[in-house]
Amino acid sequence: AEAQADTLVNVVSADEIGALPDQNAAEALARLPGVVLLRDQGEGRYISIRGMGPELNSLTINGALVPSPEGGQRGVALDALPSGVIASITVQKMFTADQASSALGGVADVKTLTAFDLPLRFRSLHVQSAHGMVVPWNRLSCATICSRVSGLP
């Protein structure tokens, strides 16, 4: 897709996303040149394309422009889009005169998987674990373990 493009684009395929432990679409996009990941509470949430903030970029899902679900903000948070449902992500950084552009930095176009992209039967399992130390006010430390398991039968 990059070789046939008339403008400057970068593409991340599902194979590349699956090979790395990316939690969501924002973290998958951070591996592209010219794209910077903006974290919120330790997780990738927004992207900056060509140095422009998230409010100056656009996001489309299967070609449809996605508005921001948060009032008073134009940037779209990508932490709600898990990396497991993505077929490919194309980041377009330059535009031609015949293209309508709603962004100064660039447009990230997410192509999602369809039922025809998957084998007849498949299983999916996602395991995540975290360990941290919590220090209460009385200076006694205790260890906490958090884990999450999800899957499709």
Side-chain angles (χ1 to χ4, degrees):
E2 290 181 28
Q4 290 88 18
D6 294 332
T7 61
L8 181 60
V9 297
N10 293 110
V11 179
V12 179
S13 68
D15 293 335
E16 293 171 318
I17 294 170
L20 298 166
D22 297 325
Q23 295 291 321
N24 56 44
E27 293 183 3
L29 282 171
R31 303 186 187 287
L32 295 176
V35 178
V36 176
L37 178 65
L38 304 173
R39 295 188 178 275
D40 182 23
Q41 300 176 4
E43 186 175 5
R45 185 173 171 106
Y46 298 101
I47 57 167
S48 170
I49 302 173
R50 295 190 318 148
M52 303 289 183
E55 65 277 357
L56 298 175
N57 301 314
S58 293
L59 174 73
T60 60
I61 297 180
N62 296 328
L65 187 64
V66 178
S68 174
E70 301 172 14
Q73 186 173 353
R74 188 173 180 266
V76 179
L78 296 170
D79 58 346
L81 189 60
S83 60
V85 300
I86 298 172
S88 68
I89 306 174
T90 303
V91 176
Q92 186 171 0
K93 300 175 186 174
M94 297 179 69
F95 306 98
T96 59
D98 61 335
Q99 295 173 318
S101 173
S102 60
L104 292 176
V107 176
D109 183 29
V110 178
K111 301 287 185 198
T112 58
L113 291 172
T114 66
F116 301 112
D117 294 334
L118 302 171
L120 185 60
R121 292 180 160 262
F122 76 98
R123 287 187 163 62
S124 174
L125 176 66
H126 176 80
V127 178
Q128 179 178 0
S129 178
H131 179 268
M133 298 299 292
V134 177
V135 181
W137 289 104
N138 60 7
R139 298 283 186 199
L140 295 175
S141 63
C142 61
T144 59
I145 298 176
C146 304
S147 61
R148 181 173 64 183
V149 177
S150 62
L152 298 171

